[in-house]
Amino acid sequence: MRGPVAALALSLLPCAAEAQRWSVDAAVGGDVAITPEPRAFGIVVVDVRGQNIANGDLRFTLNTDTLQVGLENVALSPRVQLNVFARGEGLFAGMLPTYLARGDRIAPRQFFASYAQVAASVKWLPQDHHALELVLGARRWFFTGNDDTAIRLPPEPFVFEPRLRYVYWDLRTPDGDTGPAVFHPRFEGVAAGVELGLEHRDVTLDAPPDTGLALRALRVRERPMFVRQWIRAGARVHRRLRVQIEQQASYGVDEDDLSRPRVGGMNPYAVQIPGLPWPALLSERLVAGLVSAHWRVTPHTDHELGVAFGAGGFNDPARRGDLDRYGFFAGAALFADLRWSRWIVHLRGGIALPNDWLDRAPHVGAFVSVSRSWR
């Protein structure tokens, strides 16, 4: 979700004819599960953006195992823009090499996943703060087993991916905070969006259940559909205190592990539930939110300390294919967001509330990142 949101945010910012200008943003980070089973995932981001090139913005983004090249916000008219991009992700797409159920890793169901993707979109800006975007994309998946894989791998589909998105954006952020190198942005104001999506695949698979693991069959559906919704809101309630709310919901039909939202961890690539490992769940029907309070340490510095609480209801909480059963997950975190000019250091530690859908407790995790921009 973070990619489309950031791209739409940039398109809704006012602009004027200017000379070419380049910027570079970079970050390294790690999402770490501490207990009950230690596990860590590293993140490396390098984002290079050239503004006012070919009547738009030329962008190169490396995000760990993903490389994307795109031309964004090409003005076809004062209120119509064109976007095109090509993207590839190797081996770790969708976090499919990590399979968790009830908080525990199930190694025989893990496998490597990669894809190549191209897409183009037309964006209409009917008035200030509003955007309507039609996206047409195509993707080819590739799957490979690893030493632990003990399931029949899904077929490697070609996928046609139409999307229709609406965004309202009246959010104020520090310069660069909507980019991919800032994992936990600061914001005030309101933004909201809704997305309708369909995936039309050229193959389908209903694999027999793996009875020895007592888990649902691994399935690839032919035409999964979904609607996603999100809200971001922030308000300054005191000269040194800001409150932020991040909410999202999803309802899918015939989705599978290729398209379901990821849940867990404390990074922007999943529904954040502090303390839960990334990804504790893959859920297609959910409502979740994250509320955080940010306290500025002193009036004369840009450092913030805070507390966050995330919670939500998710279907198939045991990952057995029981789509009509829901579970509640919640967690709390303490964080520090430290900023010196163009440097950002973010530290976050969280614990998940125990519940019946986690076989072991406590679930404790951490997130750390360092970001730098050149403009």
Side-chain angles (χ1 to χ4, degrees), residues 54 71-72 144 195 201 257 273 298 305 347 351 354 359 373:
L71 189 60
E72 302 176 347
T144 306
E195 176 181 15
R201 301 169 182 164
D257 285 1
I273 302 293
T298 70
L305 303 177
L347 308 169
I351 183 170
D359 287 336
S373 65

Side-chain angles (χ1 to χ4, degrees), residues 21-32:
R21 184 161 62 94
W22 289 87
S23 63
V24 178
D25 298 274
V28 294
D31 198 308
V32 183

Side-chain angles (χ1 to χ4, degrees), residues 225-228 250-255 284-285 315 323:
M225 299 178 290
F226 60 81
V227 56
R228 316 263 201 249
S250 177
Y251 188 90
V253 176
D254 281 340
E255 286 199 85
E284 64 195 78
R285 299 170 191 171
N315 78 329
L323 302 183

Side-chain angles (χ1 to χ4, degrees), residues 239-258:
R239 62 188 180 90
R240 292 170 59 184
L241 178 64
R242 188 180 70 259
V243 175
Q244 295 185 180
I245 298 173
E246 304 175 51
Q247 178 273 331
Q248 59 196 93
S250 177
Y251 188 90
V253 176
D254 281 340
E255 286 199 85
D256 50 47
D257 285 1
L258 300 187

